[in-house]
Amino acid sequence: MLKTNAGRFFEDYSIGDVIHHAVPRTVSGGERALYHALYPARHALYSSDEFARASGLPESPIDDLAAFHVVFGKSVPDISLNAVANLGYGEGRWLKPVYAGDTLRSRSEVIGLKQNSNGKTGVVYVRTSGLNQRDEVVMEFVRWVMVRKRDVDAPAPETVVPELKNVLEISDLIIPEGLDFSNYDTMLSGEPHRWSDYAIGETIDHVDGVTIEEAEHMMATRLWQNTAKVHFDATHRDDGQRLIYGGHIISMARALSFNGLANAQMIFGLNGGAHANPCFSGDTVRAWSEVLDKADTDAPGVGAIRLRLVAYKGDAAFETKGENGKYLPQVLLDLDYWALMPK
């Protein structure tokens, strides 16, 4: 009797399927330490309990993206084990901070299916939720992933592509209870630039670069228990290379954005994102940001800023697409998100 799991293929999904993912995971201060070891992450709210308490929180939360990776990683064995690539994200919301000691689990609902014209693969759209030990939803996001078919002759499902918001309104998002930047200390945070110092349309070159190493990206993918074969098995791709987990690039670019956006403390909304081109070990990742919008909030001393974060290799600063409308080959990531900053 076969007991191993080869993972789901495209024809195994149906609209409306709700998948409860194994295995729940209790996070600890170890997650923070490893996250900060893997990336040059330095945002003060996620580094210091005392800074977090001065900002109205009970303690320093787990980094928002670290929590995202845990929730995402739970979904991989059921959603993207046989993926060719994770294509994009939308409608992401961080609903509650995650603290050391919380236990996270994930569930996903299939909300879209579209077979590709080659008949060998298809795109699966899912809405994934992360829940804590109190059954509270701490985050949710939509992602779409290209998955191989087991049988190329299997009939194509009816095409369903979900309608997603291009941009989340501030009213769609949740600011952590108690967050208060009235007494925010820019000396401790690392930069003096506040919400009012940024102008819509402004671009910021984050200057620094990090060369991706096999050891770090493999450790990161294992840390998040991401089992997608393209990240581990060098025989799974024709070129014999292991694809870098897209979340690794997101976290690297976010960490690099500290230089120029040190006070963009919390990500609380994800409008959209695309992994424009694959990244491999040896690539040097750099990043730049564009200020897309700003909004006031009801939280004391807190403003919201909408940012476009672009990660690239080579010489693609402030460029993303060519004359044909397609991403330049140097562009790795194009991410649109909302963050919280002190006014």
Side-chain angles (χ1 to χ4, degrees):
M1 181 178 178
L2 184 65
K3 293 184 172 62
T4 54
N5 176 21
R8 297 181 185 222
F9 292 84
F10 179 69
E11 59 265 43
D12 297 326
Y13 298 94
S14 298
I15 298 295
D17 283 351
V18 176
I19 305 166
H20 295 271
H21 307 297
V23 171
R25 177 166 176 174
T26 302
V27 298
S28 70
E31 254 79 13
R32 175 182 295 114
L34 277 171
Y35 189 85
H36 289 200
L38 289 165
Y39 312 105
R42 292 178 285 163
H43 287 88
L45 198 70
Y46 297 106
S47 300
S48 165
D49 285 340
E50 294 306 315
F51 192 95
R53 291 188 186 105
S55 300
L57 301 181
E59 60 184 280
S60 178
I62 299 297
D63 288 70
D64 37 37
L65 288 176
F68 168 83
H69 293 317
V70 172
V71 172
F72 182 103
K74 301 289 97 190
S75 74
V76 168
D78 296 310
I79 304 301
S80 47
L81 189 67
N82 293 304
V84 178
N86 192 63
L87 300 176
Y89 310 93
E91 293 189 359
R93 304 194 304 154
W94 280 256
L95 304 173
K96 288 182 176 292
V98 175
Y99 295 100
D102 283 347
T103 297
L104 300 181
R105 57 187 175 86
S106 304
R107 69 175 180 226
S108 297
E109 179 182 359
V110 179
I111 60 173
L113 292 169
K114 182 180 183 296
Q115 182 166 301
N116 291 327
S117 58
N118 63 12
K120 298 178 180 179
T121 59
V123 179
V124 181
Y125 298 79
V126 296
R127 187 181 300 276
T128 297
S129 302
L131 300 92
N132 64 18
Q133 67 274 20
R134 294 178 292 276
D135 288 334
E136 300 167 331
V137 179
V138 299
M139 72 179 67
E140 62 180 17
F141 54 89
V142 174
R143 70 170 173 130
W144 45 102
V145 56
M146 188 187 303
V147 180
R148 290 181 171 85
K149 292 184 71 175
R150 178 190 294 106
D151 177 7
V152 295
D153 295 323
E158 179 184 356
T159 296
V160 177
V161 177
E163 293 186 11
L164 303 175
K165 292 185 177 182
N166 291 327
V167 180
L168 294 167
E169 303 294 331
I170 293 302
S171 58
D172 295 326
L173 303 174
I174 304 296
I175 296 174
E177 183 178 356
L179 189 68
D180 183 343
F181 285 160
S182 300
N183 298 311
Y184 191 93
D185 190 333
T186 57
M187 183 187 71
L188 294 178
S189 69
E191 286 182 351
H193 317 301
R194 294 174 177 263
W195 181 81
S196 58
D197 296 320
Y198 293 87
I200 295 173
E202 178 180 358
T203 55
I204 304 160
D205 183 353
H206 299 303
V207 180
D208 305 308
V210 173
T211 301
I212 302 296
E213 301 288 351
E214 285 281 11
E216 282 84 355
H217 94 82
M218 291 300 294
M219 182 181 292
T221 313
R222 293 188 185 105
L223 175 63
W224 315 128
Q225 296 177 330
N226 183 333
T227 56
K229 297 174 184 177
V230 290
H231 304 319
F232 285 98
D233 186 348
T235 69
H236 206 65
R237 289 175 54 93
D238 292 339
D239 59 13
Q241 298 190 82
R242 289 181 287 201
L243 185 68
I244 305 300
Y245 164 45
H248 192 63
I249 305 304
I250 293 175
S251 282
M252 189 65 73
R254 160 71 170 162
L256 290 172
S257 76
F258 180 91
N259 190 351
L261 285 167
N263 294 316
Q265 288 290 349
M266 303 189 83
I267 295 177
F268 77 132
L270 178 61
N271 298 307
H275 296 293
N277 287 289
C279 181
F280 301 101
S281 177
D283 289 342
T284 297
V285 176
R286 304 183 188 277
W288 58 270
S289 292
E290 179 184 3
V291 179
L292 298 178
D293 201 358
K294 296 169 65 178
D296 208 347
T297 80
D298 294 332
V302 179
I305 186 167
R306 180 184 166 203
L307 297 163
R308 181 190 192 189
L309 175 61
V310 176
Y312 67 96
K313 57 183 179 180
D315 301 315
F318 307 119
E319 297 180 84
T320 55
K321 296 182 179 180
E323 294 180 359
N324 60 2
K326 295 183 178 180
Y327 280 107
L328 297 170
Q330 301 96 324
V331 177
L332 302 173
L333 172 74
D334 192 353
L335 200 70
D336 179 342
Y337 69 97
W338 283 103
L340 296 171
M341 297 186 77
K343 292 182 180 176

